[in-house]
Amino acid sequence: MTDSVTNTFTQIYQAEVKAAYQRENAILRRTVRSRTMTGANRIYFPTLGKGEATSKARHADVVPMNLEHGRVYAEPEDFYAPEYIDDLDAAKTNQSLRTDYARASAAALGRATDNVIISALDTTSNTTSAAALDSDGGGALTLPVVTGLSQELTDRDVPPDMLRFAVINPATLSELLQVEGATSSDFTRQQLLTTGREPAYWMGFNWIVHTGLPAGVKGYFYHQPSVGLGIGKDLTSKTDWVPEKVAWLVNSWMSMGAVVIDDDGVIELTA
C-alpha cells in the first residue's frame, strides 16, 4: 500500500460516515432548528416578541407593533471521532474496515450531537412531574399526563402543529404502551414507535425513544423552533498516513452547540 490514500477511498469513507450519521445516529438533530455558520465562536438565533394588531380611523396613521427583538446564542464545541487502521489489517480487510469504522465514527458523532441537544433541553426552567398532572397515575406516563403537557404548551401559545416532539426514555415508553389510545387502531392510524427511530405521531406529539436522557427525567416535550443547534463546522472526514504508527488515521469531526431559543416551548417531565 502506498503512503497516500486514494481520493476514491477518502471520498467513499466520508460519504459512508455522513450517510450513517444522518440515517441512524443523530436522532435529535432533525427535531430542533439548525443553523450553520462556519468558523463562528457564537451562533446566534434571533427571537421576536408577540405583536398585537390594532385598528385605525380612516386616514389615520397606523400604530407600529413595536415588537421586542432579542437573540440567544450557542457556543460550538469541537468533537472528534478518530481511529487508526493498521496497514496490514487494511491490506487484508480494506472494504470491511472502512465500512465498520465509518459506522463507528457516525455513531460517536451522532451521540455527541444528541448529548449537546439534551444538555440544552435540560436547562429549561419548565419542569413538571407526572404525579402532578395525574395524581392517580403513580408517576407514570398516562393519558391525563399527555393531555396535561399538551395543554401547558397550548396555554403558552405554542402552535399545535406537527412540530411538537416528545423524547422519552425506554421506561417511559413501556408506560406509554399501556395507554389504550396509543396502541389501538381504533384511536390511531400509525403504530406507535415500530422502530424506535422514526417518530410516530400521536396526541399532537412526534414520539421518539432515546436512551441518553439524564437520570430522573422521563422525557422532554418541546416545539422544534424553540431549540436551536448551531453548527460551526458540519461533519467532515479525512484519512492520513501516520508513519510512526504504520497505520492510517481515519478521523471525522464537527463543531456544534445548542441552546433553548424560547423556554415557553420546552417542558421537562419527571416522575
Side-chain angles (χ1 to χ4, degrees):
M1 189 176 286
T2 61
D3 289 349
S4 62
V5 179
T6 64
N7 289 334
T8 300
F9 180 91
T10 302
Q11 292 170 359
I12 293 176
Y13 179 79
Q14 180 162 344
E16 288 181 341
V17 172
K18 284 188 175 181
Y21 172 82
Q22 295 170 358
R23 183 176 63 252
E24 297 179 359
N25 300 290
I27 301 173
L28 301 183
R29 180 167 176 172
R30 58 185 166 175
T31 73
V32 300
R33 176 182 171 188
S34 294
R35 187 176 188 187
T36 300
M37 296 184 65
T38 303
N41 292 325
R42 290 180 174 180
I43 298 178
Y44 289 90
F45 294 87
T47 60
L48 197 62
K50 299 175 183 177
E52 184 176 346
T54 58
S55 59
K56 76 176 189 68
R58 188 180 183 186
H59 302 311
D61 294 338
V62 296
V63 179
M65 292 188 296
N66 292 320
L67 296 175
E68 181 179 350
H69 292 74
R71 61 180 184 172
V72 297
Y73 62 84
E75 293 183 318
E77 296 180 66
D78 300 335
F79 296 89
Y80 301 86
E83 191 55 273
Y84 290 104
I85 300 180
D86 185 270
D87 186 49
L88 294 179
D89 290 340
K92 299 170 186 175
T93 55
N94 192 350
Q95 181 73 22
S96 176
L97 283 178
R98 187 190 69 220
T99 301
D100 291 344
Y101 280 48
R103 295 176 71 90
S105 292
L109 291 173
R111 287 191 296 270
T113 303
D114 285 355
N115 288 340
V116 166
I117 294 172
I118 289 170
S119 295
L121 289 168
D122 203 45
T123 65
T124 182
S125 60
N126 300 317
T127 301
T128 189
S129 67
L133 294 171
D134 183 6
S135 58
D136 298 325
L141 186 72
T142 61
L143 184 59
V145 173
V146 176
T147 56
L149 291 166
S150 179
Q151 181 178 339
E152 281 194 31
L153 291 175
T154 302
D155 287 344
R156 296 176 192 153
D157 292 330
V158 176
D161 51 20
M162 298 284 289
L163 298 179
R164 291 185 181 186
F165 284 87
V167 179
I168 58 176
N169 61 31
T172 306
L173 171 62
S174 297
E175 298 166 357
L176 177 62
L177 295 179
Q178 301 303 312
V179 180
E180 181 182 3
T183 56
S184 173
S185 59
D186 293 334
F187 299 94
T188 179
R189 295 182 179 179
Q190 184 176 17
Q191 187 175 352
L192 193 62
L193 300 171
T194 54
T195 65
R197 296 287 181 176
E198 295 298 329
Y201 190 77
W202 180 70
M203 288 296 292
F205 293 99
N206 295 285
W207 296 83
I208 296 176
V209 180
H210 202 288
T211 58
L213 302 191
V217 176
K218 296 179 70 66
Y220 294 102
F221 297 76
Y222 58 94
H223 193 230
Q224 185 187 55
S226 296
V227 185
L229 177 68
I231 306 295
K233 185 174 182 60
D234 214 337
L235 180 65
T236 304
S237 299
K238 189 176 181 182
T239 309
D240 293 298
W241 172 251
V242 183
E244 296 84 358
K245 299 288 187 181
V246 194
W248 301 103
L249 174 62
V250 291
N251 194 9
S252 299
W253 63 90
M254 62 189 302
S255 182
M256 57 190 165
V259 65
V260 172
I261 300 172
D262 183 1
D263 202 41
D264 285 344
V266 182
I267 301 176
E268 177 186 293
L269 180 68
T270 62

